[in-house]
Amino acid sequence: MSSTSRAGRPKASSRETLAEAACELFLERGYDATSVADITQRAGVSRSSFFNYFSSKSDVLWSGLDERIGRAIEDLVIVPEDRDGTHMRRILSELVDDFAPDSLALAMTNSSAMGLDDELEQDAALRQARLAAALADLAHRSGVAALTSDIVAATWAAAVLAAVRAWAESGAGRGSVGDRFADAVRAIGRLPWGDSARD
């Protein structure tokens, strides 16, 4: 039997309640002017509850994507080799599959109003680097030279983060992250500045 609130709606988890409270406060006060204490007070939960779910204020926004990246990295680590990239493409496609609008999408579409432009850029770079490291390891295990492994891994990790951002900015209810990732994959095949572009 599910727990319901006094209004008769299913009770949101503390994690969801914290994410909603954080987004409300970021819109009202701005990111820098909002503290963890403000978020927990708005959500009606304890400070220790906050840190059961998140390690920092910015993690409130990224937790959904962080879980997906974590699962993708776990899957990438156990692939012994992937010479044609089949496993890598499947794992990254699963990462973006059925991505629903969440606090990150809201933050990306309202980043200026929330005072989050710099924070989101830095946080996205950290997630991209984490995913790229796992992709580079797989490429290296698959016989790709170190320099090329780093380049190809950075490209594919950037495609994931770019797809999430493009989806959010186009209106998270329109299309899917998977659609935007498919666009990014096609773009990878047409990248400029290669040797062929100079011929």
Side-chain angles (χ1 to χ4, degrees), residues 7-194:
R9 293 182 306 166
K11 186 176 179 183
S13 71
S14 294
R15 182 181 194 149
E16 293 167 332
T17 303
L18 284 161
E20 288 174 14
C23 286
E24 288 172 6
L25 287 163
F26 295 163
L27 278 169
E28 291 170 17
R29 304 179 186 179
Y31 179 80
D32 289 337
T34 301
S35 67
V36 169
D38 294 330
I39 296 168
T40 57
Q41 182 177 11
R42 173 70 62 94
V45 301
S46 68
R47 183 177 173 85
S48 62
S49 290
F50 180 93
F51 289 107
N52 283 339
Y53 296 105
F54 311 110
S55 59
S56 69
K57 185 171 64 169
S58 68
D59 285 348
V60 172
L61 303 174
W62 291 92
S63 64
L65 185 58
D66 283 344
E67 281 185 9
R68 288 168 173 268
I69 289 173
R71 286 194 301 269
I73 289 171
E74 288 172 5
D75 291 342
L76 290 165
V77 166
I78 62 173
V79 176
E81 69 173 39
D82 189 17
R83 294 196 179 270
D84 64 0
T86 300
H87 297 295
M88 177 273 295
R89 285 179 178 82
R90 174 186 53 79
I91 291 166
L92 295 186
S93 293
E94 289 171 358
L95 190 164
V96 299
D97 189 42
D98 292 330
F99 197 102
D102 65 358
S103 54
L104 179 59
L106 180 64
M108 285 180 166
T109 55
N110 294 282
S111 60
S112 295
M114 291 182 171
L116 273 168
D117 290 327
D118 292 341
E119 188 74 26
L120 283 178
E121 187 176 329
Q122 292 166 13
D123 288 344
L126 290 172
R127 272 84 186 169
Q128 185 172 318
R130 185 173 162 228
L131 182 57
L135 290 165
D137 284 345
L138 175 56
H140 197 257
R141 288 196 306 279
S142 303
V144 180
L147 177 62
T148 306
S149 292
D150 288 345
I151 293 167
V152 73
T155 301
W156 282 94
V160 170
L161 273 295
V164 172
R165 180 174 290 281
W167 166 75
E169 290 177 349
S170 68
R174 296 181 188 157
S176 68
V177 179
D179 293 338
R180 299 292 71 76
F181 182 66
D183 293 342
V185 170
R186 286 189 290 274
I188 288 171
R190 302 187 304 265
L191 287 175
W193 297 355

